[in-house]
Amino acid sequence: MARRKLRPARLSPRDVLHVGSGGMRSRPLRVVLSALGIAIGIATMIAVVGISASSKEQLLQRLDRLGTNMLVAEPGESMFAGEDVKLPRHSVGVVSRIDGVEQAGATGTVKGSVRRNEKVSEDETGGISVRAASEGLLKVVRGEVGSGSWLNKANSRYPAVVLGHVSARRLGIGAAGQQVWLGNRYFTVVGILEPLPLAPELERAALVGWEAAERFLGFDGHPTAVYERSTNDTVENVRDLLAAGIDPQNPQNIKITDPSAKLQAQAAMEGAFSSLLLGLGSIALLVGGVGVANTMIISVLERRFEIGLRRSLGASRGQIRIQFITESLLLSGLGGLAGVLLGAAMTGIFARVDGLPWVVPLWAVGGGFGATLVIGTVAGLYPAVRAARLSPTLALHAA
């Protein structure tokens, strides 16, 4: 009668999980310390990406709210040395008639300084400029008045001034209704502006009505900056027409700028900066992988009796390899899961403290956790092969 060839028993997924987690259950402290390295690496990666994504999301939300369809026209440099370039008085009206332009406003530089009272020296300007402002300016820059009101047809003719929030702080003005010394007389503060991300120059300015500037401060009526809002589809077309529309004879003397470009560049820099820090997090993750590999090698040396016993009872080399690779994967996966949760928590705390939206990209979570599994497989491969090659007789004898 032919002898039947013996076949090793097959391990079900449940059995693989059970034998793979055996070493972890018997040495919980070592598991925690080994998984800690992986957790720190993943937490660093998740936190770096999450904080960067949160900051970028805040910038994108701000850009969406403020819009990227505002352009500013200012005097450039004249082709003739020593000649000052001035924008025409009617610049706002001309710009308003350009196809695609929805709103337009202007400011004009006024000579003089604004002080808390007449006893303060004229040299102590506090870096505050005095500007004439058109009534439509606030809508163009999408600004908001924190206290009081904006310039209108009624108060633009009288000694009334609106302060940027930086100007108000430097002058010690906390609310509308107080007075400041401007030129050779007192002006009543009718409003204080909220921060203006797209027009930071107005945050450090004292804004008076166009007619009042001409009447009380000797303003010549020539704007020094024209602000316009166009539809999103016509921004580029307006940019091409703006200089020629303001000064048809010398369009080269007009400088056109996009205030939102700075915020867009800042949003782009967030991504570049996060790539650098992501590389540092990857190094921490690799260090954690080395720790897992070291733990697995020690585990193989300590468990030679178990390996020899299992081999003598019929376990194949493949089953031994699967056992230790599974243990390495579980160890890395545990550290990866803890790292994801820790990184997300760190991002949430940072976002809450800085008032940012909490954003943790799913690709970062999936990629980070997937990286731990890859590292776990690689880290456990050599110890698993080494364990599988142990001779059952020698393993039991050495034990």
Side-chain angles (χ1 to χ4, degrees):
M1 187 174 180
R3 297 177 62 183
R4 298 179 61 182
K5 186 178 180 180
L6 296 177
R7 295 181 180 180
R10 292 185 177 183
L11 295 177
S12 66
R14 181 178 179 180
D15 294 330
V16 172
L17 185 63
H18 180 74
V19 296
S21 61
M24 297 174 60
R25 294 194 304 270
S26 61
R27 299 171 179 84
L29 181 59
R30 181 183 295 177
V31 169
V32 172
L33 294 177
S34 300
L36 186 61
I38 294 288
I40 292 174
I42 289 296
T44 302
M45 296 176 66
I46 296 296
V48 164
V49 174
I51 292 172
S52 176
S54 298
S55 300
K56 187 174 182 179
E57 181 64 21
Q58 184 189 48
L59 286 173
L60 293 176
Q61 289 180 4
R62 184 182 298 177
L63 275 172
D64 186 59
R65 183 175 68 255
L66 298 175
T68 57
N69 55 346
M70 187 179 85
L71 299 175
V72 181
E74 298 174 292
E77 296 183 1
S78 174
M79 296 178 61
F80 304 99
E83 181 178 317
D84 293 333
V85 177
K86 287 188 176 182
L87 301 183
R89 289 173 175 264
H90 57 275
S91 296
V92 175
V94 170
V95 170
S96 300
R97 290 191 291 271
I98 296 177
D99 186 31
V101 174
E102 297 180 325
Q103 299 168 334
T107 62
T109 301
V110 179
K111 293 181 180 180
S113 61
V114 56
R115 292 164 283 164
R116 190 66 181 86
N117 53 57
E118 72 276 17
K119 296 180 181 180
V120 179
S121 173
E122 292 185 6
D123 297 331
E124 298 182 13
T125 63
I128 303 172
S129 62
V130 181
R131 299 173 183 244
S134 64
E135 297 169 17
L137 178 65
L138 190 66
K139 290 184 178 180
V140 180
V141 299
R142 293 186 180 174
E144 296 181 358
V145 180
S147 175
S149 61
W150 176 245
L151 300 170
N152 52 48
K153 292 183 179 180
N155 58 28
S156 292
R157 297 177 294 173
Y158 300 102
V161 60
V162 173
L163 300 176
H165 83 285
V166 175
S167 302
R169 185 175 68 246
R170 291 177 180 177
L171 290 170
I173 305 296
Q178 302 183 53
Q179 290 187 321
V180 293
W181 186 260
L182 206 166
N184 293 316
R185 63 185 303 153
Y186 277 103
F187 275 63
T188 301
V189 178
V190 296
I192 298 176
L193 298 177
E194 294 288 350
L196 299 169
L198 291 186
E201 66 278 4
L202 302 183
E203 297 178 350
R204 297 162 178 80
L207 306 169
V208 299
W210 208 269
E211 186 176 343
E214 293 177 326
R215 181 179 176 185
F216 302 110
L217 303 174
F219 177 50
D220 61 6
H222 288 274
T224 51
V226 177
Y227 302 77
E228 69 81 28
R229 284 275 181 184
S230 55
T231 60
N232 291 325
D233 298 334
T234 59
V235 173
E236 294 303 321
N237 184 56
V238 171
R239 185 194 297 270
D240 296 336
L241 299 175
L242 198 54
I246 294 174
D247 191 349
Q249 296 181 346
N250 299 292
Q252 72 279 357
N253 292 344
I254 309 300
K255 180 178 65 175
I256 308 300
T257 58
D258 179 3
S260 66
K262 183 178 180 180
L263 289 178
Q264 295 181 52
Q266 190 175 352
M269 286 180 61
E270 288 288 345
F273 186 64
S274 65
S275 298
L276 174 63
L277 295 180
L278 192 60
L280 297 178
S282 301
I283 295 175
L285 185 60
L286 288 176
V287 173
V290 172
V292 171
N294 184 55
T295 298
M296 294 304 302
I297 291 175
I298 294 175
S299 179
V300 169
L301 294 176
E302 291 180 345
R303 296 162 65 187
R304 284 177 298 176
F305 178 78
E306 174 192 336
I307 297 169
L309 182 61
R310 289 198 62 211
R311 290 281 286 125
S312 64
L313 294 177
S316 66
R317 290 184 175 181
Q319 291 172 349
I320 298 297
R321 285 194 293 267
I322 291 175
Q323 173 187 348
F324 282 91
I325 289 178
T326 301
E327 182 174 339
S328 179
L329 281 172
L330 290 174
L331 189 59
S332 300
L334 179 64
L337 181 60
V340 168
L341 296 177
L342 181 60
M346 291 169 60
T347 303
I349 293 173
F350 184 88
R352 185 175 182 84
V353 171
D354 280 21
L356 303 176
W358 183 28
V359 178
V360 179
L362 292 178
W363 66 264
V365 175
F369 190 75
T372 63
L373 298 182
V374 172
I375 288 178
T377 303
V378 174
L381 192 59
Y382 172 72
V385 172
R386 181 172 179 174
R389 288 179 177 176
L390 284 176
S391 168
T393 305
L394 293 178
L396 290 172
H397 177 72

